[in-house]
Amino acid sequence: MEPPEVRLENSDTVYDFYRDHRQNRLKAWGAYAILGRRYHPRVGYAEGARASLRAVIGQGRPLLIAINHLSENDPYTVAAAAWRSGLRPVIGRVRVLAKDELFVDPDQRRKIDMMGGIPVFRGKDHGIRAVNAAGQRMMDICAERMARGDGIAVFPEGTCNDVDPARVQAVGSGIGHIAFRAMKLGVEPVLLPIGLSYGPREDPAVQATKEEAKSASFYFGVPVLDLPPRPGDIARLVRDDLQAALDGAVAAY
């Protein structure tokens, strides 16, 4: 199936495509390796987090990865951290939610597809009511992918934090609904909170430059093996655990 144009009015066809799309894993590994060499993020772990992550990956349990969002450079630094961390074994088997506008330029789209992207039509861009059906379908597709063993990586704040880079901003219920729907399909997703810091910033509205992004600090929280049964409770857990991971990243900077 040829990649469809990523437009809201075409969302059914878009998600039909991303339900089954598979990136070339060797190319993904190559791209992540290049970014791992270009950026050199520091990676730390909460006590027991590294061993627990290794265990759940060995068991084949799908990861629901939550990362705080600070700048447009985050996807590159996150990819570099994945290469230089315990996530390396799952590269090529994790889908990454990304705003739909990143799929417009053909060259950029090829890169995002190769990295495992799935487009998200955001309410802030198109209107809450307009994106409702597409959002429901996107969450179903993510749950289906998890049921087939894929991980899902999310910036649950939904947009770059230009308020306070040391505090996680509001987390929407979407990540909770993805986990909830995956559990309804018989999946036992594992929440992995990862805190990201580029260090203290005088003006939070000014994003980190590419040079500053090379000094990123990541901190892996302890994977959560048993999630609450309700989407709202899952979302609250994500925010609390993500804040703890962000505190670790800030402290390690």
Side-chain angles (χ1 to χ4, degrees):
M1 181 179 178
E2 287 295 314
E5 186 177 355
V6 176
R7 293 180 290 110
L8 179 58
E9 56 269 30
N10 196 35
S11 61
D12 283 342
T13 304
V14 168
Y15 289 123
D16 283 345
F17 175 79
Y18 284 101
R19 179 185 56 210
D20 299 310
H21 173 259
R22 287 284 177 189
Q23 73 266 50
N24 184 306
R25 197 172 182 207
L26 288 178
K27 288 184 178 179
W29 269 57
Y32 277 70
I34 290 170
L35 290 170
R37 290 193 297 269
R38 184 173 299 166
Y39 296 86
H40 295 275
R42 289 162 287 173
V43 177
Y45 298 85
E47 184 176 355
R50 189 166 195 167
S52 180
L53 178 59
R54 186 183 305 115
V56 296
I57 289 176
Q59 294 163 5
R61 292 182 62 178
L63 297 173
L64 182 58
I65 303 169
I67 312 161
N68 61 298
H69 198 5
L70 298 176
S71 83
E72 299 296 338
N73 289 309
D74 293 356
Y76 306 107
T77 57
V78 169
W83 180 256
R84 300 168 68 89
S85 73
L87 287 176
R88 187 183 295 189
V90 298
I91 289 174
R93 296 203 303 267
V94 174
R95 311 303 300 190
V96 182
L97 300 188
K99 58 185 177 181
D100 63 293
E101 66 187 63
L102 298 178
F103 293 78
V104 174
D105 179 77
D107 289 336
Q108 185 176 43
R109 180 178 183 176
R110 279 192 290 272
K111 295 176 183 177
I112 294 176
D113 281 347
M114 181 266 295
M115 302 292 274
I118 292 180
V120 177
F121 298 97
R122 302 186 301 177
K124 64 174 291 186
D125 298 324
H126 303 280
I128 297 294
R129 291 185 179 181
V131 303
N132 181 63
Q136 297 296 324
R137 185 74 191 286
M138 179 272 294
M139 291 185 286
D140 284 339
I141 293 303
C142 288
E144 289 180 36
R145 300 296 304 233
M146 296 191 86
R148 284 183 270 165
D150 287 344
I152 301 291
V154 184
F155 292 118
E157 293 165 296
T159 191
C160 293
N161 177 355
D162 60 1
V163 178
D164 182 352
R167 301 298 303 173
V168 175
Q169 301 305 296
V171 169
S173 63
I175 190 169
H177 282 285
I178 290 171
F180 174 75
R181 295 177 193 207
M183 290 189 285
K184 287 184 68 175
L185 295 176
V187 179
E188 295 183 350
V190 175
L191 172 65
L192 176 63
I194 303 178
L196 162 63
S197 175
Y198 296 123
R201 310 198 66 75
E202 292 184 5
D203 184 353
V206 178
Q207 296 189 8
T209 66
K210 286 188 176 181
E211 283 304 311
E212 290 173 327
K214 291 180 180 179
S215 63
S217 169
F218 285 87
Y219 191 82
F220 284 56
V222 177
V224 181
L225 308 184
D226 298 303
L227 298 181
R230 291 185 292 272
D233 291 338
I234 296 172
R236 283 187 285 274
L237 174 68
V238 168
R239 191 181 188 283
D240 291 344
D241 282 30
L242 186 53
Q243 182 61 60
L246 176 55
D247 290 343
V250 170
Y253 191 85

